[in-house]
Amino acid sequence: NAKADSVTDKVFFEVKNLFDADLSQVSVISSYLFEKVNVALAPKFLELRPGTRIVSHAFKMGEWLPDKSVTKDCITVHFWVVPDKIQGDWSWKIDDTKFNMKVDQKYQKIQTTITENDALLTVTEQILSGSRISLLLSNPFNGKKYAFNGVIDGDIINGTVKVTSIDGKALMLPWKANQ
């Protein structure tokens, strides 16, 4: 079918034991395996490059919940994006303001605790997709709102932050966090 559709330069097919196969160059995995097999493969999938997409026909991966599931005509397909590893403590400065973030991670789900100069911020959104992280925060003490968007690269996050003051004035600034 790849030849007939002229996509042989974009895809390849191999017949191998999936547990032994080198998947390091894979960017998309399409699977039709029972959940028990998917669960056994999940640790191997989590070692793939962040952003690698996994699509499974009908079967999930146990505790690793899909990012999205779609059902049409009684057929369910599940979709995951391999998350980057972000667990731990991060810090950064914006002007003279110091921020600290503690991240607890389970697969692509993250729970963050963030402080601004020791004031606990309210986290209204925290999304990890592959190497991309987005955070929406507010400071209940000074009314500032923050929209962080960045890309994780090892022990560094690079991106931007939109800072909105209580009077509605917004400023876009670079964001660099270190672990």
Side-chain angles (χ1 to χ4, degrees):
N1 287 344
K3 244 184 208 177
D5 291 335
S6 302
V7 293
T8 55
D9 60 324
K10 295 178 175 81
V11 299
F12 66 92
F13 302 91
E14 292 185 336
V15 179
K16 288 185 174 181
N17 179 333
L18 194 51
F19 290 94
D20 298 328
D22 176 11
L23 303 176
S24 62
Q25 299 304 308
V26 172
S27 60
V28 177
I29 292 177
S30 179
S31 162
Y32 193 11
L33 302 169
F34 288 117
E35 185 165 345
K36 185 176 180 179
V37 179
N38 282 343
V39 168
L41 284 166
K44 184 172 183 132
F45 291 160
L46 285 165
E47 293 303 317
L48 295 173
R49 250 188 338 246
T52 300
R53 294 149 303 184
I54 302 167
V55 179
S56 175
H57 180 274
F59 302 103
K60 292 184 180 179
M61 275 195 263
E63 289 184 0
W64 184 8
L65 300 177
D67 292 292
K68 186 175 184 177
S69 296
V70 176
T71 301
K72 185 173 180 177
D73 300 328
C74 299
I75 297 169
T76 300
V77 176
H78 304 288
F79 175 76
W80 293 262
V81 177
V82 174
D84 210 330
K85 293 167 183 63
I86 190 170
Q87 175 91 21
D89 297 321
W90 296 80
S91 61
W92 63 90
K93 274 190 165 185
I94 297 175
D95 295 326
D96 291 329
T97 306
K98 184 172 169 59
F99 291 81
N100 290 297
M101 173 172 72
K102 179 176 177 44
V103 181
D104 291 316
Q105 178 178 10
K106 186 164 186 176
Y107 308 110
Q108 75 275 36
K109 301 296 182 195
I110 58 173
Q111 184 65 45
T112 59
T113 303
I114 304 171
T115 59
E116 173 184 351
N117 289 337
D118 297 324
L120 185 61
L121 300 181
T122 303
V123 180
T124 55
E125 185 174 280
Q126 46 199 354
I127 298 171
L128 176 64
S129 181
S131 290
R132 298 190 145 310
I133 183 167
S134 298
L135 303 164
L136 292 180
L137 319 170
S138 61
N139 186 324
F141 302 104
N142 64 19
K144 283 187 180 177
K145 294 186 181 191
Y146 301 94
F148 290 92
N149 289 290
V151 176
I152 304 157
D153 185 9
D155 59 356
I156 295 173
I157 301 172
N158 281 301
T160 58
V161 57
K162 180 180 176 184
V163 182
T164 306
S165 61
I166 197 164
D167 62 4
K169 292 181 183 171
L171 183 63
M172 190 68 80
L173 299 167
W175 173 40
K176 183 176 182 179
N178 295 288
Q179 196 167 36

